[in-house]
């Protein structure tokens, strides 16, 4: 109770009514705003900001927006984002769909949402917010589980949402022992109220509320896994490798894949039933793995996964320069399809000549095409231009001059389209998902049940009152009623009893 002299530290000597010099200085600093925040105060303000519900809500909405954009907007393939020209061509291919918004969406990084700075920043901030919220709540959960509030007043019993009030014959001490036995039979922890010897506190599943902390931790671990994959992983959706050739996987893996063979089979109605690529994985000249790869049976090695994704036709080309020197000899996978579906095409860069060559074949979509079987169309561009230097249809086996190059279409060959990825954060996502299931099960399946019981003499018998601070819960109310029945059966027959109530 405050004395007439005021609170210590807020006034001067007793009865003088004068502010102390230290307090005056504090007030001056607060009013002038010139006081410097200590490191602890700054940390406290940041912590309060991050565990605030509005901060968490804004970050969750931001994450949801970015994920929605990543799902609704076409995302640039991993193989083109690191090549400015390829990326420019990809932008041109999606421009008809997004129109004037294309440049805006590109500037905001929404064509590569999950590797954008926005996604990484929101992921980090949301993880910090969850950690701050969890750390703020943990002491409360710990105190409730280990040092619960045992003593309550008479008013609590009068206004409790769930409660039971009845009388039994017998002495209060003996009835209290029956109450304790009934509670422990139901696996309640029973604690006496030191301030009121006739009162008890009982609870069950006291660790269940920590399920929320486990769930929060799981979200942080999942977000960390996503961030690790975004920063250190990669995903290539269509690495086209012609049969009999080798392709480097890149991304600092030091690995290369060689396609030994490819087999595709079909149902009677023409639908593909299976397609299998026989792959050899190389590190330098050494073979490190070999496997037949299907859609759901990938080759895995050193954290890299290789899935079978697609297949098609490659054009085996031989190209020589103006002096007859060979500038390219190999297969060009025609892995892309024009918007009309009339043609499929592949791209070949000749950096020493400053040229880019497109090899175009007839598509398989049933669209009319000027290119016949046994022919390809060859378009030659300068690397820094979008205007073709030359374009010509080339017959198989017949050399042709196109843009200063001598081009020979030798034959067709199958290629397999591989999906190559490295997902170092996957293990964290799996761990986080498991913890999320555990935390959700604890939170939703087990509830921390708390009861306050007061046993007091009442005339020739004993009055027993049971109350809970839980919200309206008919199931728990029936459990309290069953507990009351058990107590009555353990004690003498009651002279007056009432069932559990739910207000």
């Amino acid at each position: 109770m405050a004395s007439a002299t005021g609170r210590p530290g807020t006034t001067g000597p007793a009865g003088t009514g004068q502010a102390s010099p230290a307090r005056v200085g504090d007030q001056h600093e607060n009013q002038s705003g010139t006081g410097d925040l200590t490191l602890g105060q700054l940390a406290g303000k940041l912590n309060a900001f991050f565990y605030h519900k509005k901060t968490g809500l804004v970050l969750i909405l931001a994450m949801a927006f970015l994920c929605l954009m990543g799902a609704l907007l076409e995302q640039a393939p991993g193989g083109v984002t690191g090549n400015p020209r390829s990326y420019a061509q990809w932008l041109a291919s999606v421009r008809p769909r997004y129109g004037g918004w294309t440049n805006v969406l590109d500037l905001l990084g929404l064509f590569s949402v999950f590797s954008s700075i926005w996604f990484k920043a929101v992921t980090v901030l949301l993880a910090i917010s969850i950690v701050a919220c969890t750390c703020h709540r943990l002491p409360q959960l710990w105190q409730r589980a280990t040092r619960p509030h045992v003593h309550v007043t008479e008013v609590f019993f009068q206004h409790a949402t769930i409660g039971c009030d009845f009388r039994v014959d017998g002495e209060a001490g003996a009835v209290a022992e029956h109450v304790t036995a009934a509670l422990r039979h139901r696996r309640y922890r029973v604690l006496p109220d030191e301030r009121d010897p006739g009162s008890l506190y009982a609870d069950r599943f006291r660790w269940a509320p920590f399920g929320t902390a486990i769930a929060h931790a799981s979200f942080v671990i999942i977000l960390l896994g996503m961030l690790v994959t975004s920063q250190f992983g990669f995903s290539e959706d269509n690495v086209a490798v012609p049969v009999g050739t080798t392709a480097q996987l890149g991304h600092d893996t030091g690995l290369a894949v060689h396609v030994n063979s490819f087999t595709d089979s079909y149902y009677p109605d023409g639908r593909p039933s299976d397609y299998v690529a026989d792959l050899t994985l190389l590190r330098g000249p050494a073979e490190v793995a070999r496997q037949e790869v299907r859609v759901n049976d990938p080759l895995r090695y050193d954290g890299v996964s290789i899935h079978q994704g697609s297949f098609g036709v490659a054009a085996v080309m031989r190209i020589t320069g103006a002096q007859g020197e060979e500038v390219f000899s190999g297969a060009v996978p025609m892995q892309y399809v024009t918007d009309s579906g009339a043609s499929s095409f592949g791209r070949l860069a000749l950096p020493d000549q400053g040229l880019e060559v497109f090899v175009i074949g007839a598509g398989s979509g049933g669209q009319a095409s000027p290119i016949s079987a046994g022919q390809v169309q060859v378009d030659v561009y300068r690397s820094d231009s979008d205007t073709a230097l030359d374009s010509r249809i080339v017959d198989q086996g017949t050399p042709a001059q196109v843009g200063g190059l001598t081009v020979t279409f030798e034959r067709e060959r199958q290629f397999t389209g591989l999906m190559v990825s490295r997902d170092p954060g996957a293990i964290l996502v799996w761990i986080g998902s498991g913890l999320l299931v555990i935390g959700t099960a604890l939170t939703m399946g087990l509830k921390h049940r708390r009861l306050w019981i007061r046993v007091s003499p009442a005339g020739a018998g004993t009055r027993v009152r049971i109350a809970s601070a839980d919200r309206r819960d008919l199931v728990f109310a029936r459990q309290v009623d069953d507990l009351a029945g058990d107590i009555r059966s353990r004690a003498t027959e009651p002279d007056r009893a009432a069932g559990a109530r739910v207000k």
Side-chain angles (χ1 to χ4, degrees), residues 73-76 80-81 84 87-88 90-92 94-95 98-113 116-118:
L73 298 177
E74 185 172 349
Q75 298 295 288
V80 306
T81 53
Y87 186 67
W90 182 85
L91 278 181
V94 299
R95 195 174 296 277
Y98 300 111
W101 287 98
T102 304
N103 291 338
V104 177
L105 296 173
D106 176 44
L107 182 64
L108 294 175
L110 295 181
F111 288 131
S112 52
V113 168
S116 67
I117 186 64
W118 307 110

Side-chain angles (χ1 to χ4, degrees), residues 193-213:
D193 183 354
E194 301 294 341
R195 296 171 58 183
D196 186 350
S199 298
L200 301 171
Y201 167 84
D203 66 359
R204 185 172 60 166
F205 305 132
R206 54 177 164 154
W207 302 112
F210 284 85
T212 58

Side-chain angles (χ1 to χ4, degrees), residues 285-296:
E287 177 181 325
V288 295
R290 181 168 180 171
Q291 181 180 320
E292 288 189 344
V293 174
R294 290 177 166 82
V295 174
N296 295 317

Side-chain angles (χ1 to χ4, degrees), residues 135-210:
C135 292
H136 177 68
R137 182 165 168 74
L138 273 177
Q140 303 172 26
L141 297 178
W142 182 258
Q143 180 169 354
R144 182 176 293 182
T146 60
R147 298 189 301 277
H149 186 75
V150 174
H151 181 74
V152 292
T153 64
E154 286 290 332
V155 176
F156 175 78
F157 286 95
Q158 296 171 10
H159 296 90
T161 306
I162 297 175
C164 194
D165 187 348
F166 59 95
R167 296 174 187 271
V168 296
D169 292 334
E171 187 263 338
V175 172
E177 292 179 0
H178 293 312
V179 171
T180 301
L183 288 167
R184 287 179 174 163
H185 178 72
R186 288 165 171 75
R187 300 185 183 279
Y188 276 84
R189 174 183 60 164
V190 182
L191 300 176
D193 183 354
E194 301 294 341
R195 296 171 58 183
D196 186 350
S199 298
L200 301 171
Y201 167 84
D203 66 359
R204 185 172 60 166
F205 305 132
R206 54 177 164 154
W207 302 112
F210 284 85

Side-chain angles (χ1 to χ4, degrees), residues 264-278:
D264 52 313
S265 55
Y266 299 85
Y267 292 110
D269 61 2
R271 293 180 295 114
S273 62
D274 192 19
Y275 36 103
V276 186
D278 182 5

Side-chain angles (χ1 to χ4, degrees), residues 213-337:
I214 295 173
H216 286 175
S218 73
F219 284 124
V220 173
I221 293 172
I222 290 171
L223 290 173
L224 180 61
M226 295 167 59
L227 186 63
V228 168
T229 295
S230 175
Q231 188 67 28
F232 303 106
F234 68 88
S235 178
E236 297 276 2
D237 293 332
N238 193 5
V239 178
V241 188
V243 174
T245 65
T246 302
Q248 298 292 326
L249 298 186
H251 299 282
D252 297 324
T253 61
L255 298 173
V257 62
H258 180 83
V259 180
N260 303 303
S261 64
F262 180 84
T263 305
D264 52 313
S265 55
Y266 299 85
Y267 292 110
D269 61 2
R271 293 180 295 114
S273 62
D274 192 19
Y275 36 103
V276 186
D278 182 5
L279 304 182
T280 298
L281 197 62
L282 306 170
R283 173 161 279 162
E287 177 181 325
V288 295
R290 181 168 180 171
Q291 181 180 320
E292 288 189 344
V293 174
R294 290 177 166 82
V295 174
N296 295 317
D297 186 16
L299 187 159
R300 303 183 191 275
Y301 178 80
D302 197 22
V304 176
S305 299
I306 304 176
H307 293 256
Q308 175 62 49
S310 61
F311 60 94
V313 175
V316 180
M317 309 293 294
R318 183 175 185 273
I319 303 176
T320 58
Q323 306 301 319
E325 74 281 8
E326 184 176 270
V327 297
F328 177 79
S329 179
V332 180
M334 292 184 285
Q335 63 192 106
Y336 308 109
V337 179

Side-chain angles (χ1 to χ4, degrees), residues 345-369:
F345 66 94
R347 169 184 166 274
L348 170 65
L350 301 175
D352 292 341
Q353 287 73 33
L355 299 175
E356 196 166 23
V357 178
F358 286 83
V359 180
I360 306 167
S364 59
Q367 300 287 334
S369 172

